């Protein structure tokens, strides 16, 4: 298992970790298989989306905040119930194919670590499972 450290800069943040994942694939000579990425946090998640136009991540975060406001009729007493809900909506893991030493992503796709209760230093866990085809 490989660990990535992600430093988020604000309470809500989307950090593009695509290049960190590409570096892991390159440095470890991963050729063909699948890369699992897991976020071991309850108020952060991970997603794939457009990394060409930065306004896409702004729209994603602002719409999530509109759907799940920071204050509301929540039972969780830590004051971060919205962050827990957003983390579950986004999800905590991804699987990406690796073919001939490269991540298989669409032209405009990038992998984003999604912070909902930062800024913090976070972890992403990565595991590669190789295959013949
Ligand atoms: Zn909490």
């Amino acid at each position: 298992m490989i660990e990535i450290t992600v430093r988020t800069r604000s309470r809500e943040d989307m950090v593009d970790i695509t290049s960190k994942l590409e570096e892991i694939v390159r440095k470890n000579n991963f050729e063909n298989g699948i890369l699992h990425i897991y976020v071991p946090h309850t108020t952060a998640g991970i997603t794939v989306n457009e990394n060409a136009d930065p306004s896409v991540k702004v729209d994603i975060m602002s719409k999530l905040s509109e759907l799940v406001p920071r204050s509301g009729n929540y039972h969780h007493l830590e004051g971060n119930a919205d962050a827990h809900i957003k983390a579950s909506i986004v999800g905590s893991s991804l699987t990406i194919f690796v073919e001939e030493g490269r991540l298989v992503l669409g032209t405009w796709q990038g992998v984003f670590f999604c912070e909902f209760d930062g800024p913090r230093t976070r972890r992403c866990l990565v595991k590669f499972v190789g295959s013949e085809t």
Side-chain angles (χ1 to χ4, degrees), residues 42-43 76-84 117 120:
T42 61
T43 55
H76 183 56
L77 296 175
E78 283 183 320
N80 62 354
D82 65 313
H84 289 289
D117 197 20
R120 299 193 203 202

Side-chain angles (χ1 to χ4, degrees), residues 91-126:
S92 58
S93 66
L94 280 181
T95 300
I96 300 175
F97 300 147
V98 176
E99 290 288 329
E100 295 177 352
R102 298 192 57 134
L103 291 178
V104 180
L105 289 167
T107 307
W108 309 110
Q109 285 184 318
V111 180
F112 290 93
F113 181 92
C114 302
E115 175 65 81
F116 299 112
D117 197 20
R120 299 193 203 202
T121 299
R122 301 288 208 170
R123 298 160 65 215
C124 258
L125 307 177
V126 179

